[in-house]
Amino acid sequence: MIPYSHHSLDQRDKDAVLAVLSSDRLTQGEQVDAFEQEFAKKVEAPYAVAFSSGTAALHAACFVAGVGPGKSVLTSALGFVASANAPKYLGADVRFVDIESATWNVSYRTIEDVYFDSDKFADVFVPVHFAGYPLDLGADVRENWHDKTIIEDACHALGATTPDGPVGNCAHSDFTCFSFHPSKAITTGEGGMVTCRTKANAKALKTFRNHGFALTDGWYREQRDTGFNYRLSDIHAALGRSQLKKLDGFITRRHEIAGRYLEELDGVVQLPPYSPHHAWHLFVIRHPARNAIYEALRDRSIQTQVHYVPLYRNPFHQGQPIEDFPNTEAYFREALSIPCYPGLTDGEQTKVIEAVRDVA
Ligand SMILES: *Cc1c(COP(=O)(O)O)cnc(C)c1O
């Protein structure tokens, strides 16, 4: 089976993990600090705080941003459930925003529809850089939302850039969240990261990650606030450090794969929005016969996936009428993610292209 996504590990990654296993600290050692510093440097963020998953990262960012009962949060209708779950864990009212048909991302225009038509004031916005296509918050959302908190869900977008620099530098946001699940740009097995601009926020994120304990010297510690055990272990962090060194190469390879799809599937299917600064986490094609393509590719041992069932269609997240989401619905009827990951070979990609051409 050719999967739609797969991690890329080599001997250096394995050696990095083995070195931690032979050291004195498996967790709360030096690897996490080093990973945070290297990650912050890579995405040009003032601070980075590591978490046990991307979901934990989103939960922490929402907590530190003051999301809670009585607060309302807007996020894209097209995304993973975690972007909606994190604010819901904290008791906030979450509502979804339709995507733009040109970018498959939210924009100020689509936010405005929800924001001004609703009786409720939106406090926090959680945009998703869908599929790794970089959302330009500077040109768009921030101008019109300068008094709001913005938490970027960049779980698809490590390695993408905007006109203001790498996604993750928080040029126009308060927090940016990443995931290191094996399907993502780099992996730690499970893991996540939040980047932010202020020392106070970085400190609050670390407190939340570690049971709400105040950071003190010596033996005395006291819990001052809500907290979880959302720590990343040193085993995971060592893998992350090793993977981070290869990020640029991974992104280059993703661009090669996407470039070939864009050329060879042109006119066969609807192609995804293009940006030279894309992270290409997913390569999503659209076609009216999506289900037939899914089945035909499965019969040829090629795994594809639909990203995603729109959030408002999940029973847990229902509440807004489907008619409010014409662009997301049109996308959902036709979308299919085809294999795109650094380890996909040219021969495997040929097989995928031929299969899509035959069926489409
Ligand atoms: C992967 C992902 C998450 C959650 O990350 P985990 O590490 O799996 O918890 C959140 N949002 C988006 C858009 C994702 O793709």
Side-chain angles (χ1 to χ4, degrees):
M1 198 77 169
I2 301 173
Y4 77 83
S5 170
H6 199 270
H7 56 267
S8 299
L9 295 185
D10 64 14
Q11 194 56 42
R12 279 172 299 171
D13 296 309
K14 294 170 194 172
D15 290 344
V17 170
L18 284 173
V20 177
L21 294 179
S22 308
S23 78
D24 289 328
R25 304 299 290 261
L26 301 184
T27 190
Q28 297 176 284
E30 290 166 359
Q31 294 295 327
V32 174
D33 276 348
F35 183 35
E36 288 172 344
Q37 279 165 27
E38 288 158 10
F39 191 91
K41 192 163 171 233
K42 185 75 194 168
V43 302
E44 297 172 22
Y47 300 95
V49 180
F51 284 87
S52 52
S53 71
T55 304
L58 281 161
H59 187 190
C62 286
F63 177 81
V64 174
V67 171
K71 294 285 173 93
S72 65
V73 177
L74 294 183
T75 191
S76 177
L78 180 60
F80 187 58
V81 291
S83 336
N85 281 331
K88 280 197 175 173
Y89 296 156
L90 295 158
D93 177 20
V94 177
R95 50 186 74 211
F96 302 114
V97 184
D98 198 16
I99 56 169
E100 285 276 10
S101 45
T103 62
W104 305 351
N105 262 318
V106 295
S107 70
Y108 177 60
R109 196 196 56 74
T110 59
I111 291 169
E112 201 180 35
D113 290 344
V114 177
Y115 172 60
F116 288 106
D117 291 346
S118 75
D119 50 350
K120 206 146 186 209
F121 200 69
D123 305 291
V124 179
F125 174 44
V126 185
V128 182
H129 296 271
F130 184 75
Y133 179 92
L135 187 61
D136 183 3
L137 294 170
D140 190 0
V141 178
R142 196 38 143 178
E143 279 292 290
N144 302 290
W145 266 57
H146 46 83
D147 58 338
K148 304 288 183 231
T149 302
I150 296 182
I151 301 171
E152 296 175 66
D153 181 339
C155 291
H156 292 183
L158 177 59
T161 50
T162 75
D164 296 303
V167 170
N169 70 354
C170 300
H172 300 283
S173 68
D174 301 276
F175 303 92
T176 306
C177 301
F178 296 92
S179 163
F180 307 127
H181 181 271
S183 66
K184 308 297 163 77
I186 65 167
T187 189
T188 59
E190 297 280 1
M193 191 76 80
V194 181
T195 56
C196 65
R197 299 199 68 80
T198 71
K199 195 172 180 178
N201 280 342
K203 200 174 158 194
L205 288 166
K206 286 184 179 177
T207 301
F208 185 78
R209 173 179 77 181
N210 193 31
H211 307 285
F213 284 137
L215 303 169
T216 50
D217 282 334
W219 59 265
Y220 184 79
R221 65 181 180 195
E222 59 184 20
Q223 186 182 355
R224 300 222 182 118
D225 214 334
T226 301
F228 288 74
N229 178 353
Y230 276 165
R231 295 188 303 261
L232 188 73
S233 82
D234 279 58
I235 304 167
H236 296 85
L239 181 54
R241 293 180 71 193
S242 171
Q243 286 266 297
L244 188 62
K245 293 195 186 98
K246 291 179 284 189
L247 175 63
D248 293 347
F250 288 161
I251 298 294
T252 301
R253 178 65 188 141
R254 284 179 183 272
H255 272 266
E256 279 170 17
I257 292 165
R260 193 174 157 206
Y261 278 143
L262 290 170
E263 222 175 275
E264 297 188 29
L265 292 178
D266 188 22
V268 179
V269 295
Q270 184 185 334
L271 294 167
Y274 175 78
S275 160
H277 309 295
H278 212 302
W280 293 114
H281 165 62
L282 299 174
F283 195 93
V284 182
I285 58 170
R286 282 175 61 168
H287 194 280
R290 186 267 315 278
N291 289 349
I293 299 176
Y294 171 83
E295 278 162 28
L297 266 62
R298 194 183 51 192
D299 291 347
R300 298 185 189 197
S301 296
I302 299 166
Q303 184 200 31
T304 59
Q305 180 62 281
V306 175
H307 294 97
Y308 298 88
V309 173
L311 286 166
Y312 52 82
R313 279 178 168 266
N314 290 276
F316 185 73
H317 295 293
Q318 264 168 16
Q320 290 167 267
I322 283 178
E323 304 78 69
D324 282 2
F325 304 97
N327 296 338
T328 309
E329 282 296 298
Y331 169 94
F332 177 53
R333 277 193 293 276
E334 298 183 342
L336 195 64
S337 305
I338 60 176
C340 183
Y341 52 92
L344 184 72
T345 65
D346 291 343
E348 287 168 336
Q349 189 175 12
T350 302
K351 218 178 138 192
V352 176
I353 291 167
E354 281 172 359
V356 173
R357 282 175 162 276
D358 283 354
V359 193

